[in-house]
Amino acid sequence: MSKIAQPLHFARADALVAFGVGYAVMAVVGGFAFAWGAVADRIGGLNAVRLGAGAYAVGIAGRIFTDVGPSVAFSALAGAGASMALVGIRPWIRSRLSDSEIPRVVGARNLGNQIGVFAGTLGAAGIFAFAPHGDSGTRGALLIAPLLVVAGVVWLTSAAPTRALPPAVVEADAPPSRQQYQVLSAKLAVIGVLSGFYVSLVTPYLPVILVRSGLPEAGVAVLVAAMSAAQIGVTAVLTHRGTRERPFGLFLVAEATTGVLTLAVGLAIGFSVVVVAVLLVLRAGFVAVAITAEETVQYAVIPANAVGLVFGISQTAFLIGDALGGAAGGTLWAVIGPTGLVTIAGLATLLNAVLLPTLLRPRTLVASVAH
């Protein structure tokens, strides 16, 4: 809801420069996820979620102010809060659930995110449609969005399990050494940079690629909705079945298939818009599988007493890769065109499919890797 409302609100105020500056500030501050993860480990995951979500809600509400100064200040607050909440949820989940429960909870959380994006988009459209004039619509969405965040935190706090830490997640062995932390963090950072890089080569340019393939703008919106529906459906199945038994194999198959489908999209550009559309919907489903399997693997290899920090490092690395891919994407488009751009993204995806199991599959740090 807020992602749709913000650019429209600033555009109506003729303040897109302030919007761009604020957006960049939010991304940079959010990129310090490793620091926010360390804070979450220190104060507790659920406390980090409460603090981060509260800061994020205030930051989003403050985006109704379109001057550069307030935009920068509230964007920084929103970036720090969002990053802390997203990283803080990981140590909270890890501290409250057994290894067998984590995969289904990961699937359920991803499913909730996808449904939330879908519902938030429709909600923003409804607010805009019934608003008496444009400014009130975007302002209303920017004030309703933080209320939804606060409501979510209140519900999460009331629903938080009160049982003691399950024995399955208590580490009986000696704590990992500093060198082991560094090695694992480095491996996750490499994977995160590569993942962020190939994602930002496809996602930002997808609407343009579809239009260039012959799909009208209205058709682009329908196709994006179909891709979202495919992800929701696949994630719902994963939530029911879980990914605990063979997360490495599941990730390898899903990520490799995603890479192959991405390469096929590159070949189909300019050939058949129908083929492109079908391939993208299939790709969205396999992306959902890969995301859930990857997070399950991460929970298995990251030590319970450093979940926030190590997840934060992984998230920071992903954002760095995202920035690198976004910066390189425009140049690659100009030099080798959309087919070349998508082909590079597909090859990077195939590399990641092999790289993650290769780097993370050996037993490290925690006994739960075996699961």
Side-chain angles (χ1 to χ4, degrees):
M1 186 177 290
S2 65
K3 282 185 177 181
I4 293 173
Q6 286 181 55
L8 296 176
H9 181 70
F10 278 79
R12 289 182 178 277
D14 195 24
L16 284 177
V17 172
F19 170 73
V21 172
Y23 194 90
V25 167
M26 184 175 179
V28 170
V29 175
F32 287 93
F34 63 92
W36 311 129
V39 172
D41 286 331
R42 186 172 296 273
I43 68 175
L46 187 56
N47 287 332
V49 172
R50 291 168 177 157
L51 178 61
Y56 177 67
V58 173
I60 291 300
R63 294 286 274 168
I64 63 173
F65 302 108
T66 55
D67 292 335
V68 174
S71 179
V72 168
F74 283 108
S75 294
L77 185 63
S83 189
M84 180 178 290
L86 289 172
V87 174
I89 197 77
R90 266 60 180 269
W92 179 65
I93 289 174
R94 193 70 184 91
S95 68
R96 294 294 178 181
L97 300 176
S98 65
D99 291 336
S100 62
E101 294 170 317
I102 285 177
R104 291 190 178 183
V105 172
V106 168
R109 190 174 64 85
N110 289 331
L111 176 62
N113 289 342
Q114 293 159 5
I115 293 175
V117 170
F118 192 78
T121 302
L122 295 179
I127 292 172
F128 298 157
F130 290 101
H133 51 83
D135 285 346
S136 63
T138 55
R139 283 176 177 269
L142 286 176
L143 292 176
I144 291 174
L147 294 178
L148 295 176
V149 174
V150 173
V153 173
V154 170
W155 181 87
L156 181 67
T157 301
S158 65
T162 56
R163 61 177 176 168
L165 185 69
V169 301
V170 177
E171 296 177 282
D173 298 331
S177 67
R178 183 181 183 87
Q179 183 179 8
Q180 287 175 307
Y181 277 127
Q182 291 174 341
V183 170
L184 177 59
S185 297
K187 290 178 178 180
L188 289 170
V190 170
I191 295 168
V193 170
L194 181 60
S195 298
F197 180 78
Y198 74 72
V199 166
S200 61
L201 286 184
V202 175
T203 304
Y205 301 97
L206 189 58
V208 182
I209 291 172
L210 291 171
V211 171
R212 292 283 184 92
S213 298
L215 197 65
E217 292 183 359
V220 171
V222 173
L223 178 57
V224 171
M227 292 166 61
S228 178
Q231 287 190 317
I232 290 173
V234 170
T235 307
V237 173
L238 288 176
T239 302
H240 177 69
R241 296 178 61 88
T243 59
R244 174 176 177 263
E245 310 215 337
R246 296 182 179 176
F248 285 99
L250 186 62
F251 174 82
L252 175 60
V253 172
E255 189 80 342
T257 305
T258 299
V260 171
L261 289 172
T262 304
L263 291 174
V265 169
L267 294 175
I269 293 175
F271 171 70
S272 171
V273 67
V274 175
V275 173
V276 170
V278 171
L279 290 172
L280 285 173
V281 172
L282 291 174
R283 179 182 180 275
F286 282 99
V287 166
V289 177
I291 289 173
T292 302
E294 180 176 5
E295 190 169 341
T296 302
V297 168
Q298 289 173 335
Y299 274 112
V301 301
I302 295 175
N305 59 349
V307 172
L309 173 61
V310 181
F311 260 120
I313 291 172
S314 177
Q315 181 67 18
T316 296
F318 179 89
L319 293 173
I320 291 172
D322 187 52
L324 292 174
T331 301
L332 290 173
W333 181 290
V335 174
I336 59 179
T339 296
L341 182 70
V342 175
T343 299
I344 290 176
L347 293 174
T349 307
L350 289 174
L351 175 60
N352 194 56
V354 177
L355 190 64
L356 184 145
T358 300
L359 292 180
L360 299 183
R361 192 173 186 98
R363 295 173 180 263
T364 59
L365 293 177
V366 288
S368 60
V369 175
H371 299 294

